[in-house]
Each structure stands twice: as structure tokens, then as C-alpha cells.
Amino acid sequence: MIMRLSSESIDLELKNLKGWTVVNNKMHKEFEFNDFIDTFGFMTKAAIHIEKMNHHPEWFNVYNRLVVDLTTHDAGGITVNDINLAKILNSLE
């Protein structure tokens, strides 16, 4: 079982993750794109990586905005899986 990260470890990782914060004990970022097609394209590219990781985000899309929250439910908080997925999402932006 993967272990939940300490607050200190999370804070350290967030320094290198542009746009990510912690909200309600989840990693949180709001992405904004030019239009719905760009947003949906991003989600589609992300879905390929997400499936390979078998680590699925909580996300919400309206037109050109995508809100993403990351947590590892089995661990009861943020884990290295969430950090790694955040890095991947940032690389696709």
C-alpha cells in the first residue's frame, strides 16, 4: 500500500509544481484553455497517462476550464502518485 505524504513533503513538492495548491487535503489546480476543443484535447491526452498509472483524478470541466483535484483515497490523502500525476498534467499543458 502506498503511504500518504507528510505536509512538509507536500509543501516541498509544490514548490516545483506550477499552479498547484492544497485545498481540502487534495492537490488542486485550475487549468484554462482557449476553448472547449483545447480543453477536451488536454483531457484526452491526460486520460492516456491516467489509465497507464491507474490513478484517476477528480476533475470538472466547463467549456474552457478544467478543475483538477488529486488525492489517493486508499491512503487517505496525498501520495507520490498524486505528485507524479500533477507533474504529468503540467507537462501536457
Side-chain angles (χ1 to χ4, degrees):
M1 181 171 176
I2 195 156
M3 299 296 294
R4 184 175 67 218
L5 296 174
S6 68
S7 296
E8 294 80 16
S9 295
I10 294 166
D11 290 342
L12 219 91
E13 291 287 349
L14 286 177
K15 291 179 182 180
N16 298 315
L17 285 169
K18 182 183 174 206
W20 290 91
T21 60
V22 174
V23 176
N24 296 324
N25 297 315
K26 299 176 185 179
M27 290 181 60
H28 177 86
K29 183 171 181 178
E30 297 185 18
F31 295 86
E32 187 172 330
F33 300 91
N34 292 324
D35 53 30
F36 178 72
I37 295 296
D38 286 346
T39 310
F40 194 82
F42 174 86
M43 292 173 72
T44 302
K45 288 187 286 187
I48 294 166
H49 296 279
I50 289 164
E51 275 300 305
K52 285 181 186 175
M53 289 181 73
N54 192 30
H55 188 63
H56 303 88
E58 298 173 7
W59 59 9
F60 179 76
N61 162 244
V62 175
Y63 184 60
N64 70 332
R65 292 189 56 231
L66 176 64
V67 177
V68 179
D69 289 309
L70 302 176
T71 188
T72 303
H73 296 283
D74 293 344
I78 297 169
T79 68
V80 68
N81 286 346
D82 302 301
I83 300 296
N84 291 337
L85 183 51
K87 289 176 181 176
I88 289 169
L89 294 177
N90 277 5
S91 76
L92 297 174
E93 196 173 7

Coordinates of all heavy atoms in Angstrom, one line a residue:
M1 N 0.9 -1.2 0.0 CA 0.0 0.0 0.0 C 0.9 1.2 0.0 O 1.9 1.3 0.7 CB -0.9 0.0 1.2 CG -1.8 1.2 1.3 SD -3.0 0.9 2.6 CE -3.9 2.4 2.6
I2 N 0.5 2.2 -0.8 CA 1.3 3.5 -0.9 C 1.0 4.3 0.3 O -0.2 4.4 0.8 CB 1.0 4.2 -2.2 CG1 2.0 5.2 -2.5 CG2 -0.4 4.7 -2.3 CD1 2.2 5.5 -3.9
M3 N 2.0 5.0 0.8 CA 1.8 5.8 2.0 C 1.5 7.3 1.7 O 2.1 7.9 0.7 CB 3.1 5.8 2.8 CG 3.5 4.4 3.3 SD 2.3 3.6 4.4 CE 2.5 4.7 5.8
R4 N 0.7 7.9 2.5 CA 0.4 9.3 2.5 C 1.7 10.1 2.8 O 2.4 9.8 3.7 CB -0.7 9.6 3.5 CG -1.2 11.0 3.4 CD -2.4 11.2 4.3 NE -2.0 11.0 5.7 CZ -2.8 10.4 6.6 NH1 -3.9 9.9 6.3 NH2 -2.3 10.3 7.9
L5 N 1.8 11.2 2.1 CA 3.0 12.1 2.3 C 2.7 13.0 3.5 O 1.6 13.4 3.7 CB 3.3 12.9 1.0 CG 3.7 12.2 -0.2 CD1 3.8 13.1 -1.4 CD2 5.0 11.5 0.0
S6 N 3.8 13.4 4.1 CA 3.7 14.4 5.2 C 3.4 15.8 4.6 O 3.7 16.1 3.4 CB 5.0 14.5 6.0 OG 6.0 15.0 5.2
S7 N 2.9 16.7 5.4 CA 2.7 18.1 5.0 C 4.0 18.7 4.5 O 3.9 19.5 3.5 CB 2.1 18.9 6.1 OG 0.8 18.4 6.5
E8 N 5.0 18.4 5.2 CA 6.3 19.0 4.8 C 6.8 18.5 3.4 O 7.3 19.3 2.6 CB 7.4 18.7 5.9 CG 7.2 19.3 7.2 CD 6.2 18.5 8.1 OE1 5.8 17.3 7.8 OE2 5.7 19.1 9.0
S9 N 6.6 17.2 3.2 CA 7.0 16.7 1.9 C 6.1 17.3 0.7 O 6.6 17.6 -0.3 CB 6.8 15.2 1.9 OG 7.7 14.6 2.7
I10 N 4.8 17.4 1.0 CA 3.9 18.0 0.0 C 4.3 19.4 -0.3 O 4.4 19.8 -1.4 CB 2.5 17.9 0.5 CG1 2.0 16.5 0.6 CG2 1.5 18.7 -0.4 CD1 0.7 16.2 1.4
D11 N 4.6 20.2 0.8 CA 5.0 21.6 0.6 C 6.2 21.7 -0.2 O 6.3 22.6 -1.1 CB 5.2 22.3 1.9 CG 3.9 22.5 2.7 OD1 2.8 22.5 2.1 OD2 4.0 22.8 3.9
L12 N 7.2 20.8 0.0 CA 8.4 20.8 -0.8 C 8.2 20.5 -2.2 O 8.7 21.2 -3.1 CB 9.4 19.8 -0.2 CG 10.8 20.2 -0.1 CD1 11.1 20.8 1.2 CD2 11.7 18.9 -0.3
E13 N 7.3 19.6 -2.5 CA 7.0 19.2 -3.9 C 6.2 20.3 -4.6 O 6.4 20.5 -5.8 CB 6.2 17.9 -3.9 CG 6.9 16.7 -3.5 CD 7.9 16.2 -4.6 OE1 7.9 16.7 -5.7 OE2 8.7 15.3 -4.2
L14 N 5.3 21.0 -3.9 CA 4.5 22.0 -4.5 C 5.4 23.2 -5.0 O 5.0 23.9 -5.9 CB 3.5 22.5 -3.5 CG 2.3 21.6 -3.3 CD1 1.4 22.2 -2.2 CD2 1.5 21.3 -4.5
K15 N 6.5 23.4 -4.4 CA 7.4 24.5 -4.9 C 7.8 24.3 -6.3 O 8.2 25.2 -7.0 CB 8.6 24.6 -4.0 CG 8.3 25.1 -2.6 CD 9.5 25.1 -1.7 CE 9.1 25.6 -0.3 NZ 10.2 25.7 0.6
N16 N 7.8 23.0 -6.8 CA 8.2 22.7 -8.2 C 7.1 22.4 -9.1 O 7.3 21.9 -10.2 CB 9.2 21.6 -8.2 CG 10.5 21.9 -7.4 OD1 11.0 23.0 -7.6 ND2 10.9 21.0 -6.6
L17 N 5.8 22.6 -8.6 CA 4.7 22.3 -9.4 C 3.8 23.5 -9.6 O 3.0 23.9 -8.8 CB 3.8 21.2 -8.6 CG 4.4 19.8 -8.7 CD1 3.6 18.9 -7.7 CD2 4.3 19.3 -10.1
K18 N 4.1 24.2 -10.7 CA 3.4 25.4 -11.0 C 1.9 25.3 -11.0 O 1.3 24.5 -11.6 CB 3.9 25.9 -12.4 CG 3.3 27.2 -12.8 CD 3.7 27.6 -14.2 CE 3.0 28.9 -14.6 NZ 2.8 29.0 -16.1
G19 N 1.3 26.2 -10.2 CA -0.2 26.3 -10.2 C -0.9 25.4 -9.2 O -2.1 25.5 -9.1
W20 N -0.2 24.5 -8.6 CA -0.8 23.5 -7.7 C -0.8 24.0 -6.3 O 0.2 24.6 -5.8 CB -0.1 22.2 -7.7 CG -0.4 21.4 -9.0 CD1 0.4 21.5 -10.1 CD2 -1.5 20.6 -9.3 NE1 -0.1 20.7 -11.1 CE2 -1.3 20.1 -10.7 CE3 -2.6 20.1 -8.6 CZ2 -2.2 19.3 -11.3 CZ3 -3.5 19.3 -9.3 CH2 -3.3 18.8 -10.6
T21 N -1.9 23.8 -5.6 CA -2.1 24.2 -4.1 C -2.7 23.0 -3.5 O -3.1 22.0 -4.1 CB -2.9 25.4 -3.9 OG1 -4.2 25.2 -4.5 CG2 -2.3 26.7 -4.6
V22 N -2.9 23.1 -2.2 CA -3.6 22.1 -1.4 C -4.9 22.7 -0.9 O -4.9 23.8 -0.3 CB -2.8 21.5 -0.2 CG1 -3.7 20.6 0.6 CG2 -1.6 20.8 -0.7
V23 N -6.0 22.1 -1.3 CA -7.4 22.6 -0.9 C -8.1 21.4 -0.4 O -8.3 20.4 -1.1 CB -8.1 23.3 -2.1 CG1 -9.5 23.7 -1.7 CG2 -7.3 24.5 -2.6
N24 N -8.6 21.5 0.8 CA -9.4 20.4 1.4 C -8.6 19.1 1.4 O -9.2 18.0 1.0 CB -10.8 20.2 0.7 CG -11.6 21.4 0.9 OD1 -11.6 22.0 2.0 ND2 -12.4 21.8 -0.1
N25 N -7.3 19.1 1.7 CA -6.5 17.9 1.8 C -6.3 17.2 0.4 O -6.0 16.0 0.4 CB -6.9 17.0 2.8 CG -6.9 17.5 4.2 OD1 -5.9 18.2 4.6 ND2 -8.0 17.4 5.0
K26 N -6.5 18.0 -0.7 CA -6.3 17.5 -2.0 C -5.4 18.4 -2.8 O -5.5 19.6 -2.6 CB -7.6 17.3 -2.8 CG -8.6 16.3 -2.1 CD -9.9 16.3 -2.8 CE -10.9 15.5 -2.1 NZ -12.2 15.5 -2.8
M27 N -4.6 17.9 -3.7 CA -3.8 18.8 -4.6 C -4.9 19.4 -5.6 O -5.7 18.7 -6.1 CB -2.8 18.0 -5.3 CG -1.6 17.6 -4.4 SD -0.3 16.7 -5.2 CE 0.2 17.9 -6.4
H28 N -4.7 20.7 -5.8 CA -5.8 21.4 -6.6 C -5.1 22.3 -7.6 O -4.2 23.0 -7.3 CB -6.6 22.2 -5.6 CG -7.7 23.0 -6.3 ND1 -8.9 22.5 -6.6 CD2 -7.6 24.3 -6.7 CE1 -9.6 23.5 -7.2 NE2 -8.9 24.6 -7.3
K29 N -5.7 22.3 -8.8 CA -5.3 23.2 -9.9 C -6.4 23.5 -10.8 O -7.2 22.6 -11.1 CB -4.1 22.7 -10.7 CG -3.5 23.7 -11.7 CD -2.2 23.2 -12.3 CE -1.8 24.3 -13.3 NZ -0.5 23.9 -13.9
E30 N -6.5 24.7 -11.3 CA -7.5 25.1 -12.3 C -6.8 25.5 -13.6 O -5.9 26.3 -13.6 CB -8.3 26.3 -11.8 CG -9.1 25.9 -10.5 CD -10.1 27.0 -10.0 OE1 -10.4 27.9 -10.8 OE2 -10.5 26.9 -8.9
F31 N -7.1 24.7 -14.6 CA -6.5 24.9 -15.9 C -7.5 25.8 -16.8 O -8.7 25.6 -16.6 CB -6.3 23.6 -16.6 CG -5.2 22.7 -16.0 CD1 -5.6 21.8 -15.0 CD2 -3.9 22.7 -16.4 CE1 -4.7 21.0 -14.4 CE2 -3.0 21.9 -15.9 CZ -3.4 21.0 -14.8
E32 N -6.9 26.6 -17.6 CA -7.8 27.4 -18.5 C -7.2 27.3 -19.9 O -5.9 27.5 -20.1 CB -7.9 28.9 -18.1 CG -8.9 29.6 -18.9 CD -9.1 31.0 -18.4 OE1 -9.0 31.2 -17.1 OE2 -9.4 31.9 -19.2
F33 N -8.0 27.0 -20.9 CA -7.6 26.8 -22.3 C -8.3 27.8 -23.2 O -9.2 28.6 -22.7 CB -7.9 25.4 -22.7 CG -7.1 24.4 -21.9 CD1 -7.7 23.8 -20.7 CD2 -5.8 24.0 -22.2 CE1 -7.1 22.9 -19.9 CE2 -5.2 23.1 -21.4 CZ -5.8 22.5 -20.3
N34 N -8.0 27.8 -24.4 CA -8.6 28.8 -25.4 C -10.1 28.5 -25.6 O -10.9 29.4 -25.7 CB -7.9 28.7 -26.7 CG -6.5 29.3 -26.7 OD1 -6.2 30.2 -25.9 ND2 -5.6 28.7 -27.4
D35 N -10.5 27.2 -25.6 CA -11.8 26.8 -25.9 C -12.1 25.4 -25.5 O -11.2 24.8 -24.9 CB -12.2 27.0 -27.4 CG -11.2 26.3 -28.3 OD1 -10.7 25.3 -28.0 OD2 -11.0 26.8 -29.5
F36 N -13.3 24.9 -25.7 CA -13.7 23.6 -25.3 C -12.8 22.5 -26.0 O -12.4 21.5 -25.4 CB -15.1 23.3 -25.6 CG -15.6 21.9 -25.2 CD1 -15.7 21.6 -23.9 CD2 -15.8 21.0 -26.2 CE1 -16.1 20.3 -23.5 CE2 -16.2 19.7 -25.8 CZ -16.3 19.3 -24.5
I37 N -12.5 22.7 -27.3 CA -11.7 21.7 -28.0 C -10.4 21.6 -27.4 O -9.9 20.4 -27.2 CB -11.6 22.1 -29.5 CG1 -13.0 22.1 -30.2 CG2 -10.6 21.2 -30.3 CD1 -13.6 20.7 -30.3
D38 N -9.7 22.7 -27.1 CA -8.4 22.6 -26.4 C -8.5 21.9 -25.1 O -7.6 21.1 -24.7 CB -7.8 24.0 -26.3 CG -7.3 24.6 -27.6 OD1 -7.1 23.8 -28.6 OD2 -7.0 25.8 -27.6
T39 N -9.5 22.2 -24.3 CA -9.7 21.6 -23.0 C -9.9 20.1 -23.2 O -9.3 19.3 -22.5 CB -10.9 22.2 -22.3 OG1 -10.8 23.6 -22.3 CG2 -11.0 21.7 -20.9
F40 N -10.8 19.7 -24.1 CA -11.1 18.3 -24.3 C -9.9 17.6 -24.8 O -9.6 16.4 -24.4 CB -12.3 18.1 -25.2 CG -12.9 16.8 -25.2 CD1 -13.8 16.4 -24.2 CD2 -12.5 15.8 -26.2 CE1 -14.3 15.1 -24.2 CE2 -13.0 14.6 -26.2 CZ -13.9 14.2 -25.2
G41 N -9.1 18.2 -25.7 CA -7.9 17.6 -26.2 C -6.9 17.3 -25.0 O -6.3 16.3 -25.0
F42 N -6.8 18.3 -24.1 CA -5.9 18.1 -22.9 C -6.4 16.9 -22.1 O -5.6 16.1 -21.7 CB -5.9 19.4 -22.1 CG -5.1 19.2 -20.8 CD1 -3.7 19.4 -20.8 CD2 -5.8 18.9 -19.6 CE1 -3.0 19.3 -19.6 CE2 -5.1 18.8 -18.4 CZ -3.7 19.0 -18.4
M43 N -7.7 16.8 -21.9 CA -8.2 15.8 -21.1 C -8.0 14.4 -21.7 O -7.7 13.4 -21.1 CB -9.7 16.0 -20.8 CG -10.0 17.2 -19.9 SD -11.8 17.6 -19.8 CE -12.4 16.3 -18.8
T44 N -8.1 14.4 -23.1 CA -7.9 13.1 -23.8 C -6.4 12.7 -23.7 O -6.2 11.5 -23.4 CB -8.3 13.3 -25.3 OG1 -9.7 13.7 -25.3 CG2 -8.1 12.0 -26.1
K45 N -5.5 13.6 -23.9 CA -4.1 13.3 -23.7 C -3.8 12.8 -22.3 O -3.1 11.8 -22.1 CB -3.2 14.5 -24.1 CG -3.1 14.8 -25.5 CD -2.1 15.9 -25.8 CE -2.6 17.2 -25.3 NZ -1.8 18.4 -25.7
A46 N -4.4 13.5 -21.3 CA -4.2 13.2 -19.9 C -4.7 11.8 -19.6 O -4.1 11.0 -18.9 CB -4.8 14.2 -19.0
A47 N -5.9 11.4 -20.2 CA -6.5 10.2 -19.9 C -5.7 9.0 -20.3 O -5.7 8.0 -19.6 CB -7.9 10.1 -20.7
I48 N -4.8 9.1 -21.3 CA -3.9 8.0 -21.7 C -2.9 7.8 -20.5 O -2.7 6.6 -20.1 CB -3.2 8.3 -23.0 CG1 -4.3 8.4 -24.1 CG2 -2.1 7.3 -23.3 CD1 -3.8 9.0 -25.4
H49 N -2.3 8.8 -20.0 CA -1.4 8.7 -18.9 C -2.1 8.2 -17.6 O -1.6 7.4 -16.9 CB -0.7 10.0 -18.6 CG 0.1 10.5 -19.8 ND1 1.4 10.0 -20.0 CD2 -0.1 11.4 -20.8 CE1 1.9 10.6 -21.1 NE2 1.0 11.4 -21.6
I50 N -3.3 8.8 -17.4 CA -4.1 8.4 -16.2 C -4.4 6.9 -16.2 O -4.2 6.3 -15.1 CB -5.3 9.3 -16.1 CG1 -5.0 10.7 -15.8 CG2 -6.3 8.7 -15.1 CD1 -6.1 11.7 -16.1
E51 N -4.8 6.4 -17.3 CA -5.1 4.9 -17.4 C -3.8 4.1 -17.1 O -3.9 3.1 -16.4 CB -5.7 4.6 -18.7 CG -7.2 4.8 -18.7 CD -8.0 4.0 -17.7 OE1 -7.8 2.7 -17.7 OE2 -8.7 4.6 -16.9
K52 N -2.7 4.5 -17.7 CA -1.5 3.8 -17.5 C -1.1 3.7 -16.1 O -0.6 2.7 -15.6 CB -0.3 4.4 -18.3 CG -0.4 4.1 -19.8 CD 0.7 4.7 -20.6 CE 0.6 4.5 -22.0 NZ 1.6 5.3 -22.8
M53 N -1.3 4.8 -15.4 CA -1.0 4.9 -13.9 C -2.0 4.2 -13.1 O -1.8 3.9 -11.9 CB -0.9 6.4 -13.5 CG 0.2 7.2 -14.0 SD 0.2 8.9 -13.3 CE 0.6 8.6 -11.6
N54 N -3.2 4.1 -13.6 CA -4.4 3.6 -12.9 C -4.6 4.4 -11.6 O -4.8 4.0 -10.5 CB -4.2 2.1 -12.5 CG -5.5 1.5 -11.9 OD1 -6.6 1.9 -12.3 ND2 -5.4 0.6 -11.0
H55 N -4.5 5.7 -11.9 CA -4.6 6.7 -10.8 C -5.5 7.9 -11.3 O -5.0 8.7 -12.1 CB -3.3 7.2 -10.3 CG -3.4 8.1 -9.1 ND1 -3.8 7.6 -7.9 CD2 -3.0 9.4 -8.9 CE1 -3.8 8.6 -7.0 NE2 -3.3 9.7 -7.6
H56 N -6.8 7.9 -11.0 CA -7.7 8.7 -11.6 C -8.0 10.0 -10.8 O -8.3 9.9 -9.6 CB -9.0 7.9 -11.9 CG -8.7 6.7 -12.7 ND1 -8.4 5.5 -12.2 CD2 -8.7 6.6 -14.0 CE1 -8.2 4.6 -13.1 NE2 -8.4 5.2 -14.3
P57 N -8.0 11.1 -11.4 CA -8.3 12.4 -10.7 C -9.7 12.6 -10.6 O -10.6 12.0 -11.2 CB -7.7 13.5 -11.7 CG -7.9 12.9 -13.1 CD -7.7 11.4 -12.9
E58 N -10.0 13.6 -9.7 CA -11.4 14.2 -9.6 C -11.3 15.4 -10.5 O -10.4 16.3 -10.2 CB -11.7 14.5 -8.2 CG -11.7 13.4 -7.2 CD -11.9 13.8 -5.8 OE1 -12.1 15.0 -5.5 OE2 -11.8 12.9 -4.9
W59 N -12.0 15.5 -11.6 CA -12.0 16.7 -12.4 C -13.3 17.1 -12.9 O -14.3 16.3 -12.9 CB -11.0 16.5 -13.5 CG -11.1 15.4 -14.5 CD1 -12.2 14.6 -14.7 CD2 -10.2 15.1 -15.5 NE1 -11.9 13.7 -15.7 CE2 -10.7 14.0 -16.3 CE3 -8.9 15.6 -15.9 CZ2 -10.0 13.4 -17.3 CZ3 -8.3 15.0 -16.9 CH2 -8.8 13.9 -17.7
F60 N -13.4 18.4 -13.2 CA -14.7 19.0 -13.5 C -14.4 20.0 -14.6 O -13.5 20.8 -14.5 CB -15.3 19.7 -12.3 CG -16.5 20.4 -12.6 CD1 -17.7 19.7 -12.7 CD2 -16.6 21.8 -12.8 CE1 -18.9 20.4 -13.0 CE2 -17.8 22.5 -13.0 CZ -18.9 21.8 -13.1
N61 N -15.1 19.8 -15.7 CA -14.9 20.7 -16.9 C -16.2 21.5 -17.3 O -17.2 20.9 -17.3 CB -14.5 19.8 -18.1 CG -14.6 20.4 -19.4 OD1 -15.4 20.0 -20.3 ND2 -13.9 21.5 -19.7
V62 N -16.0 22.8 -17.5 CA -17.0 23.6 -18.1 C -16.3 24.4 -19.2 O -15.3 25.2 -18.9 CB -17.7 24.5 -17.1 CG1 -18.6 25.5 -17.8 CG2 -18.4 23.7 -16.1
Y63 N -16.7 24.3 -20.4 CA -16.2 25.0 -21.6 C -14.6 25.0 -21.7 O -14.0 24.0 -22.0 CB -16.8 26.4 -21.7 CG -16.3 27.1 -23.0 CD1 -16.6 26.5 -24.2 CD2 -15.6 28.2 -23.0 CE1 -16.2 27.2 -25.4 CE2 -15.1 28.9 -24.1 CZ -15.5 28.3 -25.3 OH -15.0 28.9 -26.5
N64 N -14.0 26.1 -21.3 CA -12.5 26.1 -21.4 C -11.8 26.0 -20.1 O -10.6 26.3 -20.0 CB -12.1 27.5 -22.1 CG -12.3 28.7 -21.2 OD1 -13.2 28.7 -20.4 ND2 -11.5 29.7 -21.4
R65 N -12.5 25.6 -19.1 CA -11.9 25.4 -17.7 C -11.9 24.0 -17.3 O -12.9 23.3 -17.5 CB -12.6 26.3 -16.7 CG -12.5 27.8 -17.0 CD -13.0 28.7 -15.9 NE -12.4 28.3 -14.6 CZ -13.1 28.0 -13.5 NH1 -14.4 28.1 -13.5 NH2 -12.5 27.7 -12.4
L66 N -10.9 23.6 -16.6 CA -10.8 22.3 -16.1 C -10.3 22.4 -14.6 O -9.2 22.9 -14.4 CB -9.9 21.4 -16.9 CG -9.6 20.0 -16.4 CD1 -10.9 19.1 -16.3 CD2 -8.5 19.3 -17.2
V67 N -11.0 21.9 -13.7 CA -10.6 21.9 -12.3 C -10.2 20.5 -11.9 O -11.0 19.6 -12.2 CB -11.7 22.4 -11.4 CG1 -11.3 22.4 -9.9 CG2 -12.2 23.8 -11.8
V68 N -9.0 20.3 -11.4 CA -8.5 19.0 -11.1 C -8.1 19.0 -9.6 O -7.5 19.9 -9.1 CB -7.2 18.7 -11.9 CG1 -6.7 17.3 -11.5 CG2 -7.5 18.8 -13.4
D69 N -8.6 17.9 -8.9 CA -8.2 17.6 -7.5 C -7.6 16.2 -7.5 O -8.1 15.3 -8.1 CB -9.4 17.7 -6.6 CG -9.9 19.1 -6.4 OD1 -9.1 19.9 -6.1 OD2 -11.1 19.3 -6.6
L70 N -6.5 16.1 -6.8 CA -5.8 14.8 -6.7 C -5.6 14.4 -5.3 O -5.2 15.2 -4.4 CB -4.3 15.0 -7.3 CG -4.3 15.4 -8.8 CD1 -2.8 15.6 -9.2 CD2 -5.0 14.4 -9.7
T71 N -6.0 13.2 -5.0 CA -5.8 12.5 -3.7 C -5.8 11.0 -4.0 O -6.3 10.5 -5.0 CB -6.9 12.9 -2.8 OG1 -6.6 12.4 -1.5 CG2 -8.3 12.4 -3.2
T72 N -5.2 10.3 -3.1 CA -5.2 8.9 -3.1 C -6.1 8.3 -2.0 O -5.8 8.4 -0.9 CB -3.8 8.3 -2.9 OG1 -2.9 8.9 -3.9 CG2 -3.7 6.8 -3.1
H73 N -7.3 8.0 -2.5 CA -8.3 7.6 -1.5 C -7.9 6.4 -0.6 O -8.2 6.5 0.6 CB -9.6 7.3 -2.2 CG -10.2 8.4 -2.9 ND1 -10.9 9.4 -2.3 CD2 -10.2 8.8 -4.2 CE1 -11.3 10.3 -3.2 NE2 -10.9 10.0 -4.4
D74 N -7.2 5.4 -1.2 CA -6.8 4.3 -0.4 C -5.8 4.7 0.7 O -5.8 4.0 1.8 CB -6.1 3.2 -1.3 CG -7.1 2.6 -2.2 OD1 -8.3 2.7 -2.0 OD2 -6.6 2.0 -3.2
A75 N -5.0 5.8 0.5 CA -4.1 6.2 1.5 C -4.6 7.3 2.4 O -4.0 7.7 3.4 CB -2.8 6.7 0.8
G76 N -5.8 7.8 2.1 CA -6.4 8.8 2.9 C -5.7 10.2 2.8 O -5.8 11.0 3.7
G77 N -5.1 10.5 1.6 CA -4.5 11.8 1.4 C -3.6 11.8 0.2 O -3.7 10.9 -0.7
I78 N -2.7 12.7 0.2 CA -1.8 13.0 -1.0 C -0.6 12.0 -0.9 O 0.0 11.9 0.1 CB -1.4 14.4 -1.0 CG1 -2.6 15.3 -1.2 CG2 -0.4 14.7 -2.1 CD1 -2.3 16.8 -1.0
T79 N -0.3 11.4 -2.0 CA 0.8 10.4 -2.1 C 1.7 10.8 -3.3 O 1.4 11.7 -4.1 CB 0.3 9.0 -2.3 OG1 -0.3 8.9 -3.6 CG2 -0.7 8.6 -1.2
V80 N 2.7 10.0 -3.4 CA 3.7 10.2 -4.6 C 2.9 10.1 -5.9 O 3.3 10.7 -6.9 CB 4.9 9.3 -4.4 CG1 4.5 7.9 -4.6 CG2 6.0 9.7 -5.4
N81 N 1.9 9.3 -5.9 CA 1.1 9.1 -7.2 C 0.5 10.4 -7.6 O 0.4 10.7 -8.8 CB 0.0 8.0 -7.0 CG 0.5 6.6 -7.0 OD1 1.7 6.4 -7.4 ND2 -0.3 5.7 -6.6
D82 N 0.0 11.2 -6.6 CA -0.6 12.5 -6.9 C 0.4 13.5 -7.4 O 0.2 14.2 -8.4 CB -1.3 13.0 -5.7 CG -2.4 12.1 -5.2 OD1 -3.3 11.7 -6.0 OD2 -2.3 11.6 -4.0
I83 N 1.6 13.5 -6.8 CA 2.7 14.3 -7.2 C 3.1 14.0 -8.7 O 3.2 14.9 -9.5 CB 3.9 14.2 -6.3 CG1 3.6 14.6 -4.9 CG2 5.1 14.9 -6.9 CD1 3.2 16.0 -4.6
N84 N 3.2 12.7 -8.9 CA 3.6 12.2 -10.3 C 2.6 12.6 -11.3 O 2.9 13.0 -12.4 CB 3.9 10.7 -10.3 CG 5.2 10.4 -9.5 OD1 6.0 11.2 -9.3 ND2 5.2 9.2 -9.1
L85 N 1.3 12.5 -11.0 CA 0.2 12.8 -11.9 C 0.2 14.3 -12.2 O 0.0 14.8 -13.3 CB -1.1 12.3 -11.5 CG -2.3 12.6 -12.4 CD1 -2.0 12.1 -13.9 CD2 -3.6 11.9 -11.9
A86 N 0.4 15.1 -11.1 CA 0.5 16.6 -11.3 C 1.6 17.0 -12.2 O 1.4 17.8 -13.1 CB 0.6 17.2 -9.9
K87 N 2.7 16.3 -12.1 CA 3.9 16.6 -13.0 C 3.5 16.3 -14.4 O 3.8 17.0 -15.4 CB 5.1 15.8 -12.6 CG 5.7 16.3 -11.3 CD 6.9 15.4 -10.8 CE 7.5 15.9 -9.5 NZ 8.6 15.0 -9.0
I88 N 2.8 15.2 -14.6 CA 2.4 14.8 -16.0 C 1.4 15.8 -16.6 O 1.6 16.2 -17.7 CB 1.8 13.4 -16.0 CG1 2.9 12.3 -15.8 CG2 1.1 13.1 -17.3 CD1 2.4 10.9 -15.5
L89 N 0.4 16.2 -15.8 CA -0.6 17.1 -16.2 C 0.1 18.5 -16.6 O -0.2 19.1 -17.6 CB -1.6 17.3 -15.2 CG -2.5 16.1 -14.9 CD1 -3.5 16.4 -13.8 CD2 -3.2 15.6 -16.2
N90 N 1.0 18.9 -15.8 CA 1.7 20.1 -16.1 C 2.5 20.0 -17.4 O 2.6 21.0 -18.2 CB 2.7 20.6 -14.9 CG 2.0 21.3 -13.8 OD1 0.7 21.5 -13.9 ND2 2.7 21.8 -12.9
S91 N 3.1 18.9 -17.6 CA 3.9 18.7 -18.9 C 3.0 18.7 -20.1 O 3.5 19.0 -21.2 CB 4.7 17.4 -18.8 OG 3.9 16.2 -19.0
L92 N 1.8 18.4 -20.0 CA 0.9 18.3 -21.1 C 0.2 19.7 -21.4 O -0.4 19.9 -22.5 CB -0.3 17.3 -20.9 CG 0.1 15.9 -20.7 CD1 -1.1 15.0 -20.3 CD2 0.8 15.4 -22.0
E93 N 0.3 20.6 -20.5 CA -0.3 21.9 -20.6 C 0.2 22.7 -21.7 O 1.4 22.8 -22.0 CB -0.1 22.7 -19.3 CG -1.0 23.8 -19.1 CD -0.8 24.4 -17.7 OE1 0.1 24.0 -16.9 OE2 -1.6 25.3 -17.4

